[in-house]
PDB file of all heavy atoms in Angstrom:
ATOM      1  N   MET A 477      10.897  12.239  -9.853  1.00 89.00           N
ATOM      2  CA  MET A 477      12.160  12.635  -9.239  1.00 89.00           C
ATOM      3  C   MET A 477      12.642  13.985  -9.766  1.00 89.00           C
ATOM      4  O   MET A 477      13.397  14.688  -9.091  1.00 89.00           O
ATOM      5  CB  MET A 477      13.228  11.556  -9.484  1.00 89.00           C
ATOM      6  CG  MET A 477      13.001  10.297  -8.672  1.00 89.00           C
ATOM      7  SD  MET A 477      13.095  10.610  -6.886  1.00 89.00           S
ATOM      8  CE  MET A 477      12.314   9.124  -6.229  1.00 89.00           C
ATOM      9  N   GLU A 478      12.195  14.351 -10.967  1.00 88.00           N
ATOM     10  CA  GLU A 478      12.576  15.661 -11.521  1.00 88.00           C
ATOM     11  C   GLU A 478      11.911  16.804 -10.757  1.00 88.00           C
ATOM     12  O   GLU A 478      12.336  17.964 -10.862  1.00 88.00           O
ATOM     13  CB  GLU A 478      12.186  15.744 -13.000  1.00 88.00           C
ATOM     14  CG  GLU A 478      13.074  14.944 -13.939  1.00 88.00           C
ATOM     15  CD  GLU A 478      12.910  13.445 -13.774  1.00 88.00           C
ATOM     16  OE1 GLU A 478      11.770  13.012 -13.454  1.00 88.00           O
ATOM     17  OE2 GLU A 478      13.887  12.706 -13.943  1.00 88.00           O
ATOM     18  N   ASP A 479      10.867  16.482  -9.983  1.00 88.00           N
ATOM     19  CA  ASP A 479      10.192  17.511  -9.189  1.00 88.00           C
ATOM     20  C   ASP A 479      10.890  17.769  -7.864  1.00 88.00           C
ATOM     21  O   ASP A 479      10.444  18.614  -7.074  1.00 88.00           O
ATOM     22  CB  ASP A 479       8.745  17.095  -8.911  1.00 88.00           C
ATOM     23  CG  ASP A 479       7.920  17.002 -10.178  1.00 88.00           C
ATOM     24  OD1 ASP A 479       8.122  17.847 -11.062  1.00 88.00           O
ATOM     25  OD2 ASP A 479       7.092  16.077 -10.293  1.00 88.00           O
ATOM     26  N   ILE A 480      11.966  17.043  -7.601  1.00 89.00           N
ATOM     27  CA  ILE A 480      12.668  17.154  -6.320  1.00 89.00           C
ATOM     28  C   ILE A 480      14.030  17.786  -6.554  1.00 89.00           C
ATOM     29  O   ILE A 480      14.815  17.317  -7.383  1.00 89.00           O
ATOM     30  CB  ILE A 480      12.849  15.766  -5.667  1.00 89.00           C
ATOM     31  CG1 ILE A 480      11.493  15.077  -5.497  1.00 89.00           C
ATOM     32  CG2 ILE A 480      13.553  15.896  -4.331  1.00 89.00           C
ATOM     33  CD1 ILE A 480      11.597  13.652  -5.028  1.00 89.00           C
ATOM     34  N   GLY A 481      14.324  18.853  -5.834  1.00 87.00           N
ATOM     35  CA  GLY A 481      15.641  19.477  -5.900  1.00 87.00           C
ATOM     36  C   GLY A 481      16.544  18.907  -4.823  1.00 87.00           C
ATOM     37  O   GLY A 481      16.151  18.807  -3.664  1.00 87.00           O
ATOM     38  N   GLY A 482      17.775  18.531  -5.197  1.00 85.00           N
ATOM     39  CA  GLY A 482      18.712  17.972  -4.226  1.00 85.00           C
ATOM     40  C   GLY A 482      18.419  16.513  -3.928  1.00 85.00           C
ATOM     41  O   GLY A 482      17.900  15.774  -4.764  1.00 85.00           O
ATOM     42  N   LEU A 483      18.803  16.090  -2.698  1.00 89.00           N
ATOM     43  CA  LEU A 483      18.576  14.716  -2.208  1.00 89.00           C
ATOM     44  C   LEU A 483      19.200  13.688  -3.148  1.00 89.00           C
ATOM     45  O   LEU A 483      18.599  12.663  -3.472  1.00 89.00           O
ATOM     46  CB  LEU A 483      17.081  14.437  -2.020  1.00 89.00           C
ATOM     47  CG  LEU A 483      16.277  15.458  -1.205  1.00 89.00           C
ATOM     48  CD1 LEU A 483      14.842  14.980  -1.023  1.00 89.00           C
ATOM     49  CD2 LEU A 483      16.925  15.713   0.131  1.00 89.00           C
ATOM     50  N   ASP A 484      20.420  13.942  -3.592  1.00 91.00           N
ATOM     51  CA  ASP A 484      21.055  13.071  -4.575  1.00 91.00           C
ATOM     52  C   ASP A 484      21.291  11.661  -4.057  1.00 91.00           C
ATOM     53  O   ASP A 484      21.155  10.685  -4.791  1.00 91.00           O
ATOM     54  CB  ASP A 484      22.376  13.692  -5.050  1.00 91.00           C
ATOM     55  CG  ASP A 484      23.316  14.009  -3.897  1.00 91.00           C
ATOM     56  OD1 ASP A 484      22.840  14.446  -2.837  1.00 91.00           O
ATOM     57  OD2 ASP A 484      24.540  13.826  -4.064  1.00 91.00           O
ATOM     58  N   ARG A 485      21.633  11.519  -2.774  1.00 92.00           N
ATOM     59  CA  ARG A 485      21.909  10.181  -2.234  1.00 92.00           C
ATOM     60  C   ARG A 485      20.625   9.355  -2.112  1.00 92.00           C
ATOM     61  O   ARG A 485      20.627   8.159  -2.374  1.00 92.00           O
ATOM     62  CB  ARG A 485      22.595  10.297  -0.876  1.00 92.00           C
ATOM     63  CG  ARG A 485      23.959  10.989  -0.965  1.00 92.00           C
ATOM     64  CD  ARG A 485      24.644  11.099   0.378  1.00 92.00           C
ATOM     65  NE  ARG A 485      25.043   9.770   0.883  1.00 92.00           N
ATOM     66  CZ  ARG A 485      25.747   9.604   2.002  1.00 92.00           C
ATOM     67  NH1 ARG A 485      26.108  10.668   2.727  1.00 92.00           N
ATOM     68  NH2 ARG A 485      26.088   8.408   2.414  1.00 92.00           N
ATOM     69  N   LEU A 486      19.538   9.988  -1.737  1.00 92.00           N
ATOM     70  CA  LEU A 486      18.257   9.290  -1.683  1.00 92.00           C
ATOM     71  C   LEU A 486      17.820   8.874  -3.089  1.00 92.00           C
ATOM     72  O   LEU A 486      17.372   7.748  -3.311  1.00 92.00           O
ATOM     73  CB  LEU A 486      17.200  10.184  -1.046  1.00 92.00           C
ATOM     74  CG  LEU A 486      15.749   9.680  -1.076  1.00 92.00           C
ATOM     75  CD1 LEU A 486      15.627   8.351  -0.342  1.00 92.00           C
ATOM     76  CD2 LEU A 486      14.799  10.709  -0.496  1.00 92.00           C
ATOM     77  N   LYS A 487      17.955   9.774  -4.048  1.00 92.00           N
ATOM     78  CA  LYS A 487      17.583   9.454  -5.420  1.00 92.00           C
ATOM     79  C   LYS A 487      18.400   8.281  -5.960  1.00 92.00           C
ATOM     80  O   LYS A 487      17.874   7.393  -6.637  1.00 92.00           O
ATOM     81  CB  LYS A 487      17.789  10.677  -6.314  1.00 92.00           C
ATOM     82  CG  LYS A 487      16.810  11.814  -6.072  1.00 92.00           C
ATOM     83  CD  LYS A 487      17.140  12.991  -6.981  1.00 92.00           C
ATOM     84  CE  LYS A 487      16.195  14.157  -6.783  1.00 92.00           C
ATOM     85  NZ  LYS A 487      16.558  15.315  -7.635  1.00 92.00           N
ATOM     86  N   SER A 488      19.693   8.279  -5.666  1.00 93.00           N
ATOM     87  CA  SER A 488      20.566   7.194  -6.131  1.00 93.00           C
ATOM     88  C   SER A 488      20.151   5.867  -5.513  1.00 93.00           C
ATOM     89  O   SER A 488      20.119   4.831  -6.194  1.00 93.00           O
ATOM     90  CB  SER A 488      22.026   7.522  -5.778  1.00 93.00           C
ATOM     91  OG  SER A 488      22.873   6.454  -6.119  1.00 93.00           O
ATOM     92  N   TRP A 489      19.813   5.877  -4.218  1.00 94.00           N
ATOM     93  CA  TRP A 489      19.390   4.649  -3.522  1.00 94.00           C
ATOM     94  C   TRP A 489      18.121   4.096  -4.154  1.00 94.00           C
ATOM     95  O   TRP A 489      18.002   2.894  -4.388  1.00 94.00           O
ATOM     96  CB  TRP A 489      19.172   4.969  -2.043  1.00 94.00           C
ATOM     97  CG  TRP A 489      18.963   3.780  -1.159  1.00 94.00           C
ATOM     98  CD1 TRP A 489      19.905   3.074  -0.480  1.00 94.00           C
ATOM     99  CD2 TRP A 489      17.700   3.156  -0.850  1.00 94.00           C
ATOM    100  NE1 TRP A 489      19.322   2.051   0.242  1.00 94.00           N
ATOM    101  CE2 TRP A 489      17.965   2.077   0.029  1.00 94.00           C
ATOM    102  CE3 TRP A 489      16.385   3.395  -1.223  1.00 94.00           C
ATOM    103  CZ2 TRP A 489      16.971   1.256   0.527  1.00 94.00           C
ATOM    104  CZ3 TRP A 489      15.385   2.566  -0.728  1.00 94.00           C
ATOM    105  CH2 TRP A 489      15.668   1.518   0.142  1.00 94.00           C
ATOM    106  N   LEU A 490      17.173   4.970  -4.442  1.00 93.00           N
ATOM    107  CA  LEU A 490      15.917   4.537  -5.047  1.00 93.00           C
ATOM    108  C   LEU A 490      16.129   4.064  -6.487  1.00 93.00           C
ATOM    109  O   LEU A 490      15.518   3.081  -6.917  1.00 93.00           O
ATOM    110  CB  LEU A 490      14.900   5.686  -5.013  1.00 93.00           C
ATOM    111  CG  LEU A 490      14.401   6.102  -3.631  1.00 93.00           C
ATOM    112  CD1 LEU A 490      13.582   7.382  -3.719  1.00 93.00           C
ATOM    113  CD2 LEU A 490      13.574   4.989  -2.983  1.00 93.00           C
ATOM    114  N   ASP A 491      16.991   4.761  -7.214  1.00 92.00           N
ATOM    115  CA  ASP A 491      17.241   4.380  -8.604  1.00 92.00           C
ATOM    116  C   ASP A 491      17.880   2.996  -8.685  1.00 92.00           C
ATOM    117  O   ASP A 491      17.571   2.215  -9.594  1.00 92.00           O
ATOM    118  CB  ASP A 491      18.143   5.423  -9.266  1.00 92.00           C
ATOM    119  CG  ASP A 491      18.325   5.154 -10.754  1.00 92.00           C
ATOM    120  OD1 ASP A 491      17.311   5.148 -11.479  1.00 92.00           O
ATOM    121  OD2 ASP A 491      19.470   4.932 -11.185  1.00 92.00           O
ATOM    122  N   GLN A 492      18.753   2.657  -7.743  1.00 92.00           N
ATOM    123  CA  GLN A 492      19.382   1.342  -7.734  1.00 92.00           C
ATOM    124  C   GLN A 492      18.362   0.225  -7.541  1.00 92.00           C
ATOM    125  O   GLN A 492      18.596  -0.908  -7.955  1.00 92.00           O
ATOM    126  CB  GLN A 492      20.429   1.268  -6.623  1.00 92.00           C
ATOM    127  CG  GLN A 492      21.683   2.076  -6.878  1.00 92.00           C
ATOM    128  CD  GLN A 492      22.627   2.037  -5.693  1.00 92.00           C
ATOM    129  OE1 GLN A 492      22.423   1.288  -4.730  1.00 92.00           O
ATOM    130  NE2 GLN A 492      23.679   2.854  -5.745  1.00 92.00           N
ATOM    131  N   ARG A 493      17.234   0.553  -6.935  1.00 91.00           N
ATOM    132  CA  ARG A 493      16.214  -0.456  -6.656  1.00 91.00           C
ATOM    133  C   ARG A 493      14.998  -0.334  -7.574  1.00 91.00           C
ATOM    134  O   ARG A 493      13.947  -0.915  -7.303  1.00 91.00           O
ATOM    135  CB  ARG A 493      15.776  -0.346  -5.189  1.00 91.00           C
ATOM    136  CG  ARG A 493      16.847  -0.831  -4.232  1.00 91.00           C
ATOM    137  CD  ARG A 493      16.748  -0.180  -2.865  1.00 91.00           C
ATOM    138  NE  ARG A 493      17.787  -0.671  -1.971  1.00 91.00           N
ATOM    139  CZ  ARG A 493      19.062  -0.242  -1.994  1.00 91.00           C
ATOM    140  NH1 ARG A 493      19.422   0.686  -2.868  1.00 91.00           N
ATOM    141  NH2 ARG A 493      19.954  -0.742  -1.165  1.00 91.00           N
ATOM    142  N   SER A 494      15.138   0.395  -8.658  1.00 87.00           N
ATOM    143  CA  SER A 494      14.007   0.630  -9.562  1.00 87.00           C
ATOM    144  C   SER A 494      13.542  -0.642 -10.263  1.00 87.00           C
ATOM    145  O   SER A 494      12.407  -0.711 -10.726  1.00 87.00           O
ATOM    146  CB  SER A 494      14.377   1.697 -10.596  1.00 87.00           C
ATOM    147  OG  SER A 494      15.507   1.293 -11.347  1.00 87.00           O
ATOM    148  N   SER A 495      14.411  -1.655 -10.344  1.00 87.00           N
ATOM    149  CA  SER A 495      14.031  -2.925 -10.988  1.00 87.00           C
ATOM    150  C   SER A 495      13.923  -4.058  -9.977  1.00 87.00           C
ATOM    151  O   SER A 495      13.921  -5.230 -10.348  1.00 87.00           O
ATOM    152  CB  SER A 495      15.065  -3.287 -12.065  1.00 87.00           C
ATOM    153  OG  SER A 495      15.167  -2.283 -13.045  1.00 87.00           O
ATOM    154  N   ALA A 496      13.821  -3.701  -8.699  1.00 88.00           N
ATOM    155  CA  ALA A 496      13.863  -4.722  -7.649  1.00 88.00           C
ATOM    156  C   ALA A 496      12.617  -5.595  -7.595  1.00 88.00           C
ATOM    157  O   ALA A 496      12.637  -6.659  -6.983  1.00 88.00           O
ATOM    158  CB  ALA A 496      14.077  -4.059  -6.284  1.00 88.00           C
ATOM    159  N   PHE A 497      11.509  -5.151  -8.217  1.00 85.00           N
ATOM    160  CA  PHE A 497      10.274  -5.930  -8.163  1.00 85.00           C
ATOM    161  C   PHE A 497      10.024  -6.717  -9.450  1.00 85.00           C
ATOM    162  O   PHE A 497       8.943  -7.259  -9.630  1.00 85.00           O
ATOM    163  CB  PHE A 497       9.078  -5.006  -7.893  1.00 85.00           C
ATOM    164  CG  PHE A 497       9.106  -4.395  -6.517  1.00 85.00           C
ATOM    165  CD1 PHE A 497       9.391  -3.049  -6.346  1.00 85.00           C
ATOM    166  CD2 PHE A 497       8.861  -5.161  -5.396  1.00 85.00           C
ATOM    167  CE1 PHE A 497       9.422  -2.477  -5.086  1.00 85.00           C
ATOM    168  CE2 PHE A 497       8.892  -4.598  -4.132  1.00 85.00           C
ATOM    169  CZ  PHE A 497       9.175  -3.258  -3.971  1.00 85.00           C
ATOM    170  N   THR A 498      11.002  -6.793 -10.333  1.00 81.00           N
ATOM    171  CA  THR A 498      10.819  -7.513 -11.592  1.00 81.00           C
ATOM    172  C   THR A 498      11.070  -9.009 -11.401  1.00 81.00           C
ATOM    173  O   THR A 498      11.696  -9.440 -10.420  1.00 81.00           O
ATOM    174  CB  THR A 498      11.783  -6.973 -12.663  1.00 81.00           C
ATOM    175  OG1 THR A 498      13.140  -7.179 -12.216  1.00 81.00           O
ATOM    176  CG2 THR A 498      11.560  -5.484 -12.892  1.00 81.00           C
ATOM    177  N   GLU A 499      10.610  -9.791 -12.362  1.00 77.00           N
ATOM    178  CA  GLU A 499      10.859 -11.229 -12.328  1.00 77.00           C
ATOM    179  C   GLU A 499      12.353 -11.518 -12.463  1.00 77.00           C
ATOM    180  O   GLU A 499      12.857 -12.495 -11.905  1.00 77.00           O
ATOM    181  CB  GLU A 499      10.080 -11.915 -13.456  1.00 77.00           C
ATOM    182  CG  GLU A 499       8.593 -12.025 -13.189  1.00 77.00           C
ATOM    183  CD  GLU A 499       8.303 -12.797 -11.914  1.00 77.00           C
ATOM    184  OE1 GLU A 499       8.742 -13.962 -11.801  1.00 77.00           O
ATOM    185  OE2 GLU A 499       7.644 -12.236 -11.016  1.00 77.00           O
ATOM    186  N   GLU A 500      13.050 -10.676 -13.200  1.00 84.00           N
ATOM    187  CA  GLU A 500      14.492 -10.852 -13.337  1.00 84.00           C
ATOM    188  C   GLU A 500      15.184 -10.736 -11.980  1.00 84.00           C
ATOM    189  O   GLU A 500      16.115 -11.498 -11.677  1.00 84.00           O
ATOM    190  CB  GLU A 500      15.046  -9.809 -14.306  1.00 84.00           C
ATOM    191  CG  GLU A 500      16.525  -9.975 -14.603  1.00 84.00           C
ATOM    192  CD  GLU A 500      17.040  -8.932 -15.581  1.00 84.00           C
ATOM    193  OE1 GLU A 500      16.234  -8.092 -16.029  1.00 84.00           O
ATOM    194  OE2 GLU A 500      18.244  -8.957 -15.887  1.00 84.00           O
ATOM    195  N   ALA A 501      14.733  -9.791 -11.147  1.00 87.00           N
ATOM    196  CA  ALA A 501      15.299  -9.638  -9.803  1.00 87.00           C
ATOM    197  C   ALA A 501      15.007 -10.859  -8.944  1.00 87.00           C
ATOM    198  O   ALA A 501      15.841 -11.287  -8.139  1.00 87.00           O
ATOM    199  CB  ALA A 501      14.742  -8.376  -9.143  1.00 87.00           C
ATOM    200  N   ARG A 502      13.807 -11.443  -9.112  1.00 84.00           N
ATOM    201  CA  ARG A 502      13.475 -12.652  -8.360  1.00 84.00           C
ATOM    202  C   ARG A 502      14.388 -13.808  -8.759  1.00 84.00           C
ATOM    203  O   ARG A 502      14.858 -14.574  -7.915  1.00 84.00           O
ATOM    204  CB  ARG A 502      12.014 -13.047  -8.610  1.00 84.00           C
ATOM    205  CG  ARG A 502      10.950 -12.058  -8.216  1.00 84.00           C
ATOM    206  CD  ARG A 502      10.721 -11.990  -6.710  1.00 84.00           C
ATOM    207  NE  ARG A 502      11.792 -11.253  -6.050  1.00 84.00           N
ATOM    208  CZ  ARG A 502      11.960  -9.931  -6.101  1.00 84.00           C
ATOM    209  NH1 ARG A 502      11.127  -9.196  -6.784  1.00 84.00           N
ATOM    210  NH2 ARG A 502      12.947  -9.347  -5.476  1.00 84.00           N
ATOM    211  N   ARG A 503      14.618 -13.939 -10.061  1.00 86.00           N
ATOM    212  CA  ARG A 503      15.489 -15.021 -10.525  1.00 86.00           C
ATOM    213  C   ARG A 503      16.928 -14.816 -10.040  1.00 86.00           C
ATOM    214  O   ARG A 503      17.656 -15.771  -9.798  1.00 86.00           O
ATOM    215  CB  ARG A 503      15.450 -15.110 -12.045  1.00 86.00           C
ATOM    216  CG  ARG A 503      14.118 -15.614 -12.599  1.00 86.00           C
ATOM    217  CD  ARG A 503      14.231 -15.958 -14.072  1.00 86.00           C
ATOM    218  NE  ARG A 503      14.496 -14.784 -14.892  1.00 86.00           N
ATOM    219  CZ  ARG A 503      13.557 -14.046 -15.467  1.00 86.00           C
ATOM    220  NH1 ARG A 503      12.269 -14.374 -15.300  1.00 86.00           N
ATOM    221  NH2 ARG A 503      13.870 -12.997 -16.201  1.00 86.00           N
TER     222      ARG A 503
END
Side-chain angles (χ1 to χ4, degrees):
M477 288 297 164
E478 286 69 33
D479 296 322
I480 304 173
L483 309 184
D484 55 322
R485 297 180 68 175
L486 172 60
K487 290 178 180 178
S488 175
W489 190 91
L490 293 171
D491 186 60
Q492 288 176 8
R493 288 154 180 79
S494 59
S495 301
F497 293 108
T498 61
E499 285 301 303
E500 185 179 359
R502 299 285 76 73
R503 290 192 294 268

